[in-house]
Amino acid sequence: MQTANPPPGADSGGVAPLLQTDALTVTYSSRGGNVVAVQDTSIVVREGESVALVGESGSGKSTVARAMLGLLPEGIAAIPSGRILL
């Protein structure tokens, strides 16, 4: 998944992010083991910005949105690395 904004830590003119993911990875458990749904995704949203997640079907857009909102299914999804900052 590509990011439309500069990566975390990029020069932002001193404006603090309202929402940020930093190297976010999300996995889902399955009978065959863990499946990586999103890998190393960073997004920054600052005040006054509109951000859209765009990608092919199955690329992880909904998974990123659910992770950012804290709505990943318990016991099935995990965030093994990265962080989400509000």
Side-chain angles (χ1 to χ4, degrees), residues 3-86:
T3 60
N5 294 314
D11 183 18
S12 63
V15 178
L18 296 174
L19 175 64
Q20 175 177 339
T21 66
D22 185 14
L24 180 69
T25 296
V26 179
T27 61
Y28 288 101
S29 60
S30 72
R31 290 182 197 157
N34 289 338
V35 176
V36 177
V38 174
Q39 185 172 16
D40 197 30
T41 299
S42 298
I43 299 171
V44 177
V45 181
R46 293 188 176 81
E47 185 175 351
E49 289 185 332
S50 297
V51 176
L53 294 175
V54 179
E56 295 180 20
S57 177
S59 65
K61 301 176 301 291
S62 295
T63 295
V64 169
R66 286 185 181 117
M68 293 169 88
L69 295 170
L71 298 176
L72 289 172
E74 291 184 35
I76 298 171
I79 299 175
S81 65
R83 60 188 182 155
I84 300 168
L85 304 169
L86 298 173

